[in-house]
Amino acid sequence: MKDIFITGLGNVSPQKTFDNSQFLDEVVSFTTNQLRCQDPNYKEFVPADLLRRMSRIIRFGVAAGKICLADAGCQMPDAIITGTGLGCLEDTEKFLSNMIRSNEEFLTPTAFIQSTHNTVSAQIALLLKCHNYNFTYVHRGLSFESALLDSIMQLDSGAVDTVLAGAMDEMTQNTFQIQQRLGHFKQKPIDNLHLLEDQSRGSIAGEGSSFFMLSSKPGTKTYARISGLDFFFKPAPCEIESRLLQFLKNNGKSIETIDLVLFGLNGDYGFDNIFHNLMEHMFPKTPSAYYKHLCGEYFTSSAFGLWLAAKILYHQTVPEVVLFKNASSGKFRNILFYNHFRNIEHSFILVTQT
């Protein structure tokens, strides 16, 4: 694949990441098992009359998209491509609850209209009056990676020059309780900044929206390049290492050329062992970092990870709050980002300096 340049970022998360002039300067600590987004001033991005009819995911998804556009200095992208694991849960729950309470009569259509998975990308297009290619992927833990792959294919083919690519997911109380009963999330509140110290089952629930302006050419401000992408489904334990070696070889890299490995550690000891094993066998001396203690676990949390990797390359520093081991004072040129969702969907992204 050709190098794809990240020329703009937008991120609304449980941390104050919506301000692109900062890079985790003020980290927010929570004692909880469910992280919720820090809200920017939405009136800066959405007209007030539209804002009052939007659910939380639409608000922070649209805001992240418009922050990204402003950061890139782009008024009209050639395509809008997004990914989401569960879509607009709050509106879906609201519509179904109203349907039950009203015995399927006298239903207002707003919640139903805004409950579809492509609502956020559609709202961004409506606000921009953008009639270009618009697609949303709903592929569980590979939703963002699927959107990213489509973006790369569109840019590689020459069909478009710029793509607004992103992902979003929200966590409602009903969904949290269901997944908590299944053991996906911690039973008791913990300090999110000490997530990896807690050896109990499950992670902390999260939510957020991250957007990227992707271009086939570098812009006036370019954060990083996406030089490689690979994802796979339910691999055997021995397959992960061989797949990684092949991935690096295909992209002209080796283990020795990786300056930082960014892992999707989430505090669930049953699944974090996969990362630890890879670290010990292949990257024992390579600096490593992690991120899910800042944003929580959700289907498209890998978008937050890519945002972090791009920021690290742009600022040439690893904030102490995300450093896992082997601090480095050297130059960061190549970052390997590896994430998996409950050992089902796995992905590698190679992010390099421009």
Side-chain angles (χ1 to χ4, degrees):
M1 61 173 269
K2 299 177 183 177
D3 283 335
I4 304 300
F5 298 91
I6 300 175
T7 59
L9 296 173
N11 189 5
V12 178
S13 74
Q15 300 297 322
K16 296 179 180 180
T17 53
F18 48 79
D19 185 354
N20 277 326
S21 66
Q22 301 181 22
F23 181 31
L24 299 179
D25 297 339
E26 182 185 350
V27 177
V28 185
S29 174
F30 305 91
T31 300
T32 183
N33 47 10
Q34 181 180 3
L35 301 180
R36 291 171 67 87
C37 284
Q38 299 281 319
D39 295 321
N41 182 5
Y42 291 119
K43 292 181 181 178
E44 295 179 6
F45 311 105
V46 183
D49 58 331
L50 295 177
L51 191 62
R52 60 187 177 85
R53 292 194 293 270
M54 289 182 172
S55 64
R56 291 179 58 253
I57 188 174
I58 301 174
R59 290 184 179 193
F60 63 66
V62 170
K66 297 201 75 175
I67 290 169
C68 182
L69 288 166
D71 189 43
C74 177
Q75 296 183 341
M76 186 67 65
D78 296 330
I80 301 173
I81 306 176
T82 61
T84 181
L86 293 173
C88 303
L89 282 173
E90 185 178 298
D91 279 314
T92 302
E93 292 178 3
K94 186 183 298 183
F95 177 75
L96 293 174
S97 298
N98 288 339
M99 186 169 65
I100 294 169
R101 281 197 298 269
S102 64
N103 196 27
E104 301 183 21
E105 298 177 345
F106 312 114
L107 292 169
T108 56
T110 304
F112 174 73
I113 293 168
Q114 296 188 343
S115 68
T116 56
H117 291 76
N118 65 338
T119 299
V120 173
S121 61
Q123 284 286 353
I124 294 173
L126 287 169
L127 289 170
L128 297 177
K129 295 182 173 57
C130 176
H131 303 283
N132 299 330
Y133 182 91
N134 194 312
F135 212 89
T136 296
Y137 287 87
V138 189
H139 291 171
R140 291 177 56 87
L142 293 177
S143 298
F144 172 64
E145 287 82 352
S146 299
L148 193 58
L149 177 61
D150 189 5
S151 301
I152 292 169
M153 292 172 65
Q154 295 290 329
L155 290 164
D156 270 350
S157 70
V160 299
D161 291 323
T162 57
V163 177
L164 179 63
M168 70 295 299
D169 271 303
E170 68 176 336
M171 184 61 61
T172 66
Q173 196 58 35
N174 288 332
T175 305
F176 171 75
Q177 290 174 352
I178 291 170
Q179 293 190 50
Q180 188 183 45
R181 284 203 300 268
L182 293 172
H184 294 184
F185 301 129
K186 304 288 186 187
Q187 296 300 313
K188 297 179 180 179
I190 64 168
D191 184 341
N192 68 303
L193 299 186
H194 297 278
L195 175 64
L196 300 187
E197 297 172 15
D198 186 281
Q199 295 299 305
S200 61
R201 184 184 177 193
S203 182
I204 51 175
E207 62 181 12
S209 178
S210 303
F211 272 83
F212 308 85
M213 180 57 65
L214 305 179
S215 175
S216 54
K217 300 175 183 177
T220 54
K221 177 171 65 174
T222 303
Y223 287 92
R225 291 181 296 189
I226 299 176
S227 299
L229 170 67
D230 186 27
F231 48 86
F232 43 102
F233 186 74
K234 288 187 177 180
C238 60
E239 184 185 346
I240 298 172
E241 293 187 15
S242 60
R243 186 117 187 184
L244 173 56
L245 290 171
Q246 189 62 48
F247 171 72
L248 293 174
K249 182 180 178 181
N250 291 344
N251 291 284
K253 305 295 180 185
S254 64
I255 291 176
E256 292 73 25
T257 60
I258 299 300
D259 303 305
L260 177 74
V261 187
L262 180 59
F263 290 110
L265 294 157
N266 71 356
D268 189 328
Y269 65 90
F271 297 112
D272 279 354
N273 284 336
I274 297 168
F275 298 116
H276 290 302
N277 291 337
L278 194 70
M279 217 179 306
E280 291 169 7
H281 294 159
M282 303 185 74
F283 301 100
K285 297 181 180 179
T286 306
S288 58
Y290 68 116
Y291 67 94
K292 289 184 182 176
H293 58 309
L294 301 181
C295 67
E297 179 68 283
Y298 53 99
F299 282 105
T300 54
S301 65
S302 53
F304 186 100
L306 180 58
W307 170 87
L308 178 60
K311 280 280 201 175
I312 289 172
L313 286 171
Y314 184 72
H315 291 280
Q316 284 296 298
T317 184
V318 180
E320 187 177 349
V321 71
V322 300
L323 182 65
F324 185 63
K325 70 171 189 175
N326 298 336
S328 172
S329 57
K331 192 173 180 64
F332 296 102
R333 298 181 181 86
N334 304 306
I335 294 179
L336 173 68
F337 173 36
Y338 170 42
N339 183 52
H340 72 78
F341 188 81
R342 301 190 64 79
N343 198 20
I344 300 173
E345 297 100 354
H346 295 243
S347 64
F348 298 131
I349 304 176
L350 180 62
V351 193
T352 60
Q353 189 183 33
T354 56

